[in-house]
Amino acid sequence: MTLGIRQLPRTALIALGLLVVVWLAIKASQGGNTFLQVTLNGTTDAALYFIVAAGFTLIFGLMRVVNMAHGSLYLFGGYIAYVAQTHWYAGGTSQFQLGATSSTSIWGFLVPLVFATLVIGLVGLGIQQLLLRWNQGQDLRQALITIAVSVIIADQLIAHYGGIVESIQQPTSWPNSIVIGTFRYGFFRLVVVLGAALAVGVLLYLLIQHTRLGMIIRAGVDDRPMLSALGVNVQLVFAGAFFLGAMLAGFGGVLGGTMISVGPGLDSQFLLNSLIVVIIGGMGSLPGAAIGALLLGLVQSYSAIYLHFGATDLTPYGVLAQFILVIAVLAFRPLGLFGRPA
Amino acid sequence: MTNVAEEVTRLERGIRRWPLRRLAAAAGLALCGLWIAACGGKSSSSASGASSASSSTTSSSAAATPSNAIRIGILSDCAGDFGAWYNADIGGAQAYFIAHNGAKPNGPVPSNGITGGTIAGHPIKIVGYGCADDTAAKALSEVRRLVEADKAQIVIGPLSGDEGIAVANYSKTQPGLTFINGTSGAQDTTLKVRSPNFYRFNGDGAQWSAGVGDVAYRKLGWRHAVVIMDDYAFGWTSAAGFIADFCADGGTVTRIYPPLGTTDYSSYISQIPQKFDGLFSAVGGTGTLDFLKQYTQSRGAFKKNTLAGNIFLGDPAVLAAVHAADVGALVGQPTNEDTSSANAAAYISALKQAYPAPTTSLPKPGTLAGLASSVFTVNYYMAAWALDKALTAVHGDLSNGQAALHAALAKTTLPDAPYGPVTLDQNRQAIVDNYIADVTTTGGTPGIHTIYTVPGVTQAFGGTFTPTTPSPGRGQPVCQKRALPWQGKEQSISVH
């Protein structure tokens, strides 16, 4: 009897999950191209979330630091690339532009991309060395410090760049969209962002599973004191991991700034997304980040479109769906899908 | 023994798990904190930016402010979707004072302030600039700052729809002061709120769409239109004008309403049916650019005669930014950039005289004169003009709760306004001429080619809207046939 009651929420969640799948199947059969488009919207969003959250989860997995400034690093990266592009390649005047008066060369995109990624890596390294290192092991204090950093960065970005949304230009020589039969989709979203996410995923996997550094990181995730006792310079590894994690935030910021735009508020939005991704996927797990990002992206995308029931339009409340997802995952696996107890 | 061992392992597991749970809890707490901090931080930072800007203008001449000065606050947006037009708004109002009241600009950036200038012998004193972000809450706190801290007697503003409703309601609590709308265009501001000391010398969003739906139905042959509108008071009002017009002829509409400030429009673009005759965009500000960019990426360029839009699609700053993306679009707006009328020429030369130098504080094309036909510039200019006219008529008398000024403003007309005469109705809401134009391209630069005009559009919209009809919204007005005074009677403009 008690067992039955305890299983009730689970049964309800399974029923809800099945209902969602059936609902989507009906929608998919009704409008093929629209469904494909919505699915790709979710997948490409997920790709961006993954890039950002991978850095977040890497830092957490190794150092147990919940880097609440991760979203700020994302936005800062976007602004750095935007400024680099407008000042070095486009004459540097426009407040907002589309289609660019002056054409953007491939270098005009790649150089700002690499530059912003590296700068953000260094900013992250600075945060770790100056603010977090002397608080090692004090999780709550570190989380609060990074919150402070994120608020400071957010305000400085508004003060400096203003409240206006900007956009980084993709190279003019790249097509705007790709067409397959009657279906058309944005080139940058589909090819560049999705490709970058796959590349980041594969490279991180290779790094972690097949290199000495990866071995050290994995060992550090499992048992830091022992790793340190074995003579590994843990401080160096920590610094490296923070550099890499921050770089991923900056890299994501540039891609996001090109795919969508750069503007105030995106920092907390991407921090929230990263948190949801790692909570779903399990903190510290790379495959978890991938699955979590995909689930989050798809749920956001479907709930923005398919919550029409006859004349009742629930799409404005679609934002709640992502939190239902979190609740559903935590109900089954309190540590996330791929989470392991420390 | 085994029991003890089990107990120990269980304890160990419990202890090991503990830090992770604590971390999760910390992360959760921190997240809540961050949300509060982010919102609070954001607003306070822009507020401090604005107040420092205003205090610098105040301090420079505060000591010398004579007691008979007319204290004016200018309220606009420096952040959010319309933040790009901050200096176009301020510049528009101040250009009037510079050209007609003897004020001098403090440099090429309008928000640097003005010095000197008199109205009916009273010195003009700009007490500060309100820096809102298109939300009602922020506009309210900024107008309060101007009125209650900086002691503005007259406020010119705000910029945006929801802000206008909030400020009009606030004006009721300050019956002894005067509020002249900047360029906000929600219908409720004047039709529902009807504050006795709030005056709007510009049309609302629906008036600015008058005739577009009719032309789309009759001339472009649209029968089913997709209407994409910012999900807030101006987006709804702007779309309401198109919908009332288009449905009056028998057209049908699909409505999509992304929130104002959306940056990723992909999921809203997915909601646009694959087949439609035309799309009316009431997506404003930076959203216009994001929407057009992402639409062309996922659907390709708009086919000929399938795109129409509101004031934003024809705004000079948007045109300078989108280049070819909306060429061929049909736009409705209360200005005709291509006019050669003497009134418009006088206005543009006033802008040139006041702010001749290009500045990066303005969006491209970068000069105030280049942004002359933007509602953001001209409506603030007309607000200053109406104020000057009414104050001059009462010899600058602000006594007795500004009663004389209130009476004078209600009777003020602007027959020589740059883009057609402006008069007020009984709700102190302007009756304006509206224009329907094509976006064309000359030498690679998109421009406006005005084709029709609808003179004397009232807020009532031919009886469609009254103080008791539902406010424009996601599903309002309902799409139904009705008779409108200008149906099929838009006047062609051949000679400009």
Side-chain angles (χ1 to χ4, degrees), chain A residues 236-281:
Chain A
L236 199 64
V237 178
F238 282 1
F242 218 99
F243 180 69
L244 187 60
M247 261 184 22
L248 285 170
F251 182 65
V254 183
L255 292 182
T258 318
M259 172 173 130
I260 308 166
S261 44
V262 199
L266 286 171
D267 47 351
S268 40
Q269 198 181 320
F270 269 84
L271 175 62
L272 181 64
N273 286 334
S274 296
L275 273 170
I276 293 177
V277 165
V278 296
I279 288 171
I280 295 172

Side-chain angles (χ1 to χ4, degrees), chain B residues 319-362:
Chain B
L319 288 182
V322 299
H323 302 289
D326 69 344
V327 166
L330 188 73
V331 297
Q333 50 185 10
T335 62
N336 51 340
E337 183 186 295
D338 49 352
T339 181
S340 55
S341 75
N343 292 339
Y347 157 66
I348 291 168
S349 84
L351 297 182
K352 279 184 183 153
Q353 179 201 333
Y355 294 102
T359 157
T360 52
S361 69
L362 292 169

Side-chain angles (χ1 to χ4, degrees), chain A residues 33-34 37-38 41 45 60 64 66 68 92-101 137 139-140 143 147 150-151 155 158-159 162-165 167-170 176-178 184-189 257-261 264-266 268-269 271-272 275 283 301 304-305 308 313 315-317 323 335 340-342, chain B residues 13 16-17 19-24 26-27 29-31 33-35 37-38 41-42 44-46 78-85 231 257 261 263-272 274 285-286 288-290 292-301 317-318 320-323 325 360-364 474:
Chain A
N33 266 3
T34 307
Q37 198 165 26
V38 177
N41 288 347
D45 280 343
F60 177 81
R64 293 288 179 268
V66 184
M68 304 299 280
T93 48
S94 127
Q95 284 213 345
F96 65 160
Q97 53 176 251
L98 172 80
T101 25
D139 311 324
L140 193 55
I147 289 181
S150 78
V151 173
D155 275 7
I158 287 200
I164 300 150
V165 176
S167 166
I168 303 163
Q169 302 303 319
Q170 69 172 53
N176 247 336
S177 47
I178 50 172
R184 178 192 279 271
Y185 203 77
F187 171 83
F188 191 86
R189 278 187 93 107
T258 318
M259 172 173 130
I260 308 166
S261 44
L266 286 171
S268 40
Q269 198 181 320
L271 175 62
L272 181 64
L275 273 170
M283 283 197 153
S301 183
I305 306 285
H308 284 278
D313 177 11
T315 49
Y317 308 102
F323 297 110
L335 295 174
R340 290 183 303 162
Chain B
R13 212 178 284 153
R16 278 194 188 166
R17 270 186 180 187
L20 195 68
R21 288 203 180 154
R22 208 176 53 178
L23 266 183
L29 263 177
L31 186 63
L34 183 85
W35 243 345
K42 199 169 125 183
S44 68
S45 81
S46 42
C78 65
D81 245 34
F82 314 110
W85 285 277
D231 195 15
Y257 27 84
T263 48
D264 183 0
Y265 282 90
S266 56
S267 53
Y268 303 97
I269 291 165
S270 303
Q271 293 177 57
I272 298 172
Q274 296 293 335
T286 46
T288 317
L289 307 181
D290 277 332
L292 284 176
K293 169 179 160 184
Q294 291 163 27
Y295 182 93
T296 39
Q297 279 177 2
S298 63
R299 293 286 183 91
V318 174
V322 299
H323 302 289
T360 52
S361 69
L362 292 169
K364 279 184 178 176
R474 290 173 179 166

Side-chain angles (χ1 to χ4, degrees), chain B residues 242-308:
Chain B
F242 175 84
I243 291 168
D245 230 37
F246 187 67
C247 294
D249 288 331
T252 55
V253 292
T254 300
R255 308 176 209 226
I256 296 167
Y257 27 84
L260 181 65
T262 297
T263 48
D264 183 0
Y265 282 90
S266 56
S267 53
Y268 303 97
I269 291 165
S270 303
Q271 293 177 57
I272 298 172
Q274 296 293 335
K275 279 193 175 27
F276 59 84
D277 297 326
L279 179 142
F280 179 81
S281 161
V283 175
T286 46
T288 317
L289 307 181
D290 277 332
F291 170 68
L292 284 176
K293 169 179 160 184
Q294 291 163 27
Y295 182 93
T296 39
Q297 279 177 2
S298 63
R299 293 286 183 91
F302 279 96
K303 290 190 199 74
K304 195 173 157 51
N305 292 337
T306 60
L307 175 65

Side-chain angles (χ1 to χ4, degrees), chain B residues 1-11:
Chain B
M1 280 311 277
T2 48
N3 275 352
V4 175
E6 267 175 24
E7 190 71 16
V8 169
T9 14
R10 215 155 50 120
L11 267 174

Side-chain angles (χ1 to χ4, degrees), chain B residues 11 32 62 125 155 210 235 247-248 277 285 329 336 346 362 378 390 434 476 487 489-490:
Chain B
L11 267 174
C32 300
K125 168 73 189 155
V155 172
C247 294
D277 297 326
N336 51 340
L362 292 169
V378 68
N434 200 46
Q476 288 292 343
Q487 255 169 334
K489 296 185 196 123
E490 292 86 2

